[in-house]
């Protein structure tokens, strides 16, 4: 029992926002300017005073599960101490008059000076930040042996592609910097978030029936239509050009229903226990079959795009891949490793991270057959008068054609599947209510006489 408790505490420590382990959770790359962007070990006492008035909390999230080939978006919001607030322009000011560590601060006074200092803003790897306004915060995201650099305000987001990434669960680490003075950034701390890549279509199903006042009990009335509504989880709109069909089997021997509508209705004419199920098929155009673009390449040094979404380069070498982003500018640089010594303890090299990913990516391209429907899937939650369910199934992956092969129609599409089934109870409803007898009864009490109406009611059904 003592060992179990200790292991549980260790897991909590690893998944917390700031770990007490004396090592870096974030790999230091040799090309980084660690004088401008220092990297402190977890548990460094300097984190306690990295922000006036208290610690900053990092609310990090993502929109996974992500269908392989789609894009995943990560978000971060900085939550400042209770006596501070964020203005619409992103500046943080004191929300009230207060005294912190013996220093008097006034309401609406900036927590840190926002004077525009004349210097060229750069990212940790030296890439220029192409923006007139000096960044207040720099977020460096890291996973898959790569990192992405974003200059933004106290709320930020980043979107990356999952092309050629093996299926599975991953951790996105992030270090947060705040501009403190000319050419000096202070790390506010580390954070991380778990995300997953799947070949099964993520979706939710809602079951709704008129006058169903007990939502979530999976009990419905016969001879009354039940609405089955599918909600695809596709925040990056990867399936926007796909042909998506839904194959329904309502479990009452009424036959299969194939539909392209997100909502279908079905009426059970008899009572009993039924097992409705659905199989979703998405036929997705394969981008590998798109004709080559004749547009000329952009000139070196010019912005490649005017968006914050960044597609991570393929993992094809042990060279660190550096992607720098700004809300209106995007720079992608290939930076070879230099000979600067990396003194961080316990850090894994980029090459050791990329090699197993390359091997796993090769294995992930092996085609597999679709499995049978699972017996049941989990319930994800309930809304008022609505049952929220989710389901997923093994996917059928179409093998990529060789470059020299002539593409056929089947070679130029990718098939993805998802499935769900559950058990519902259907009961005979009350079809008819009739009053068969009414009788006045006189009841005598010490104070007064009371008339009581005695009613006899029969129900059919």
């Amino acid at each position: 029992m003592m060992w179990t408790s200790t292991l549980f505490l260790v897991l909590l420590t690893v998944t917390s926002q700031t770990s007490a382990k004396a090592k870096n959770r974030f790999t230091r790359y040799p090309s980084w300017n660690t004088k401008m962007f220092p990297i402190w070990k977890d548990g460094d006492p300097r984190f306690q005073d990295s922000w006036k008035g208290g610690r900053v909390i990092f609310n990090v999230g993502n929109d996974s599960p992500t269908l392989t080939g789609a894009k995943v978006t990560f978000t971060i919001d900085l939550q400042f101490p209770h006596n501070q607030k964020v203005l619409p322009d992103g500046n943080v000011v004191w929300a009230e008059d207060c005294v912190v560590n013996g220093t008097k601060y006034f309401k609406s006074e900036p927590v840190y000076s926002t004077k525009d200092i004349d210097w060229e803003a750069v990212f940790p790897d030296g890439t220029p930040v192409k923006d007139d306004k000096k960044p207040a915060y720099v977020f460096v995201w890291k996973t898959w042996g790569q990192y992405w650099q974003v200059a933004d305000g106290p709320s930020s987001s980043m979107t990356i592609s999952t092309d050629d990434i093996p299926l599975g669960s991953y951790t996105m680490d992030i270090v947060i910097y705040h501009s403190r003075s000319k050419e000096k950034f202070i790390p506010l701390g580390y954070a991380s978030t778990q995300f997953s890549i799947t070949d099964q279509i993520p979706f939710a199903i809602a079951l709704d029936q008129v006058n169903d006042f007990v939502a979530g009990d999976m009990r419905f009335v016969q001879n009354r239509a039940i609405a089955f509504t599918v909600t695809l989880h596709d925040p990056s709109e990867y399936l926007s050009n796909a042909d998506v069909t839904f194959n329904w089997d309502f479990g009452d021997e009424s036959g299969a229903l194939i539909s392209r509508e997100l909502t279908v209705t079905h009426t059970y004419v008899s009572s009993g226990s039924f097992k409705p199920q659905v199989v979703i098929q998405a036929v997705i155009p394969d981008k590998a079959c798109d004709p080559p673009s004749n547009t000329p390449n952009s000139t070196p040094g010019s912005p490649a795009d005017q968006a914050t979404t960044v597609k991570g380069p393929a993992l094809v070498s042990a060279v660190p891949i550096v992607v720098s982003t700004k809300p209106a500018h995007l720079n992608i640089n290939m930076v070879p490793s230099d000979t600067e010594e990396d003194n961080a303890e316990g850090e894994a090299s980029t090459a050791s991270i990329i090699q197993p990913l390359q091997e796993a990516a090769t294995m992930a391209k092996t085609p597999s057959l679709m499995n049978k429907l699972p017996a049941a899937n989990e319930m994800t939650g309930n809304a008022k008068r609505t049952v929220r369910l989710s389901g997923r199934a093994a996917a059928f992956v179409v093998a990529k054609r060789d470059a020299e092969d002539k593409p056929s129609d089947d070679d130029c599409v990718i098939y993805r599947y998802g499935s769900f089934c559950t058990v519902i109870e259907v009961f005979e409803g009350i079809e008819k209510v009739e009053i068969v007898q009414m009788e006045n009864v006189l009841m005598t009490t010490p104070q007064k006489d009371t008339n009581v109406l005695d009613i006899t009611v029969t129900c059919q059904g």
Side-chain angles (χ1 to χ4, degrees):
M1 186 63 182
M2 180 62 71
W3 166 252
T4 303
S5 300
T6 303
L7 180 58
F8 179 70
L9 290 176
V10 170
L11 291 176
L12 284 180
T13 303
V14 171
T15 57
S16 65
Q17 291 179 341
T18 302
S19 173
K21 293 177 65 178
K23 62 171 291 186
N24 288 349
R25 287 170 51 191
F26 203 93
T27 305
R28 169 190 167 190
Y29 289 83
S31 59
W32 279 12
N33 183 347
T34 53
K35 292 182 179 179
M36 182 182 298
F37 293 87
I39 297 180
W40 298 341
K41 296 180 184 295
D42 293 342
D44 192 303
R46 288 175 290 184
F47 280 122
Q48 300 295 330
D49 300 321
S50 62
W51 187 267
K52 292 179 183 177
R55 297 296 300 273
V56 180
I57 299 175
F58 314 124
N59 298 320
V60 185
N62 62 80
D63 58 7
S64 73
T66 303
L67 188 61
T68 177
K71 296 177 180 179
V72 55
T73 296
F74 301 89
T75 59
I76 183 170
D77 294 304
L78 305 187
Q79 181 179 334
F80 299 94
H82 66 89
N83 55 1
Q84 302 172 7
K85 67 177 181 179
V86 181
L87 299 179
D89 60 2
N91 291 325
V92 182
V93 300
W94 296 98
E96 57 190 23
D97 294 345
C98 58
V99 177
V100 177
N101 295 331
T103 303
K104 175 73 173 180
Y105 297 102
F106 298 97
K107 182 178 180 180
S108 300
E109 179 185 355
V111 177
Y112 289 96
S113 175
T114 57
K115 292 185 299 183
D116 189 11
I117 304 173
D118 185 17
W119 63 285
E120 183 181 1
V122 295
F123 286 111
D125 66 348
T127 304
V129 177
K130 294 185 177 180
D131 193 10
D132 295 336
K133 183 179 178 181
K134 301 302 182 290
Y137 304 89
V138 169
F139 305 92
V140 186
W141 306 78
K142 171 183 167 294
T143 191
W144 309 329
Q146 306 176 44
Y147 62 88
W148 295 259
Q149 306 168 121
V150 179
D152 214 335
S155 296
S156 184
S157 65
M158 184 195 65
T159 302
I160 60 177
S161 176
T162 62
D163 288 337
D164 300 321
I165 300 299
L167 308 180
S169 296
Y170 300 93
T171 299
M172 173 67 82
D173 290 319
I174 178 174
V175 59
I176 301 94
Y177 289 99
H178 179 247
S179 176
R180 197 56 52 84
S181 62
K182 181 179 180 181
E183 300 183 3
K184 185 65 175 180
F185 285 78
I186 296 297
L188 300 182
Y190 302 97
S192 63
T193 180
Q194 298 284 333
F195 67 103
S196 60
I197 302 173
T198 178
D199 58 359
Q200 307 163 28
I201 301 174
F203 66 97
I205 290 185
L207 277 66
D208 193 16
Q209 188 178 56
V210 176
N211 296 329
D212 180 15
F213 297 103
V214 185
D217 61 353
M218 305 299 287
R219 295 157 64 94
F220 303 92
V221 177
Q222 75 178 51
N223 295 320
R224 189 179 301 166
I226 302 175
F228 295 80
T229 301
V230 177
T231 302
L232 299 176
H233 179 71
D234 185 31
S236 67
E237 299 183 350
Y238 176 67
L239 300 177
S240 60
N241 295 324
D243 180 17
V244 182
T245 56
F246 307 93
N247 190 330
W248 292 93
D249 181 354
F250 298 103
D252 59 352
E253 298 182 354
S254 60
L257 172 64
I258 300 177
S259 172
R260 286 182 169 85
E261 300 297 326
L262 293 175
T263 299
V264 297
T265 59
H266 183 73
T267 301
Y268 290 89
V269 297
S270 60
S271 60
S273 178
F274 300 96
K275 190 176 180 180
Q277 55 190 4
V278 62
V279 175
I280 300 177
Q281 175 184 274
V283 183
I284 309 168
D286 191 349
K287 293 181 295 184
C289 294
D290 292 344
S293 175
N294 294 326
T295 57
N297 296 329
S298 58
T299 58
S302 63
D305 196 1
Q306 297 295 320
T308 56
T309 300
V310 180
K311 175 183 176 182
L315 302 177
V316 296
S317 71
V319 177
I321 306 300
V322 183
V323 181
S324 307
T325 69
K326 278 291 295 175
H329 298 281
L330 169 66
N331 294 316
I332 301 180
N333 301 319
M334 301 290 291
V335 182
S337 301
D338 54 30
T339 58
E340 179 182 351
E341 182 180 0
D342 188 352
N343 296 322
E345 298 177 6
E347 296 177 352
S349 67
T350 307
S352 63
I353 296 174
I354 293 178
Q355 183 176 359
L357 283 178
Q358 290 176 316
E359 297 173 355
T362 303
M363 298 174 60
K365 292 183 179 179
T366 304
S368 59
L369 297 178
M370 178 181 177
N371 294 336
K372 295 181 179 179
L373 289 173
N377 286 290
E378 62 180 7
M379 186 181 304
T380 61
N382 297 323
K384 184 177 180 181
R385 296 177 51 218
T386 302
V387 183
R388 294 288 178 186
L389 307 167
S390 69
R392 37 187 88 154
F396 178 81
V397 183
V398 177
K400 296 286 187 179
R401 61 181 176 83
D402 293 333
E404 62 272 10
D405 293 341
K406 182 179 180 180
S408 63
D409 292 339
D410 289 339
D411 289 331
C412 290
V413 295
I414 301 173
Y415 293 89
R416 298 292 180 221
Y417 294 90
S419 70
F420 170 81
C421 64
T422 189
V423 177
I424 65 173
E425 299 291 335
V426 178
F427 294 89
E428 182 181 359
I430 298 175
E431 303 293 340
K432 182 180 180 182
V433 178
E434 182 179 2
I435 298 175
V436 296
Q437 182 178 353
M438 298 179 61
E439 181 178 356
N440 280 320
V441 178
L442 181 64
M443 299 181 63
T444 303
T445 62
Q447 291 78 16
K448 58 181 179 178
D449 294 338
T450 304
N451 287 323
V452 178
L453 184 63
D454 191 3
I455 302 177
T456 301
V457 180
T458 61
C459 300
Q460 178 181 348

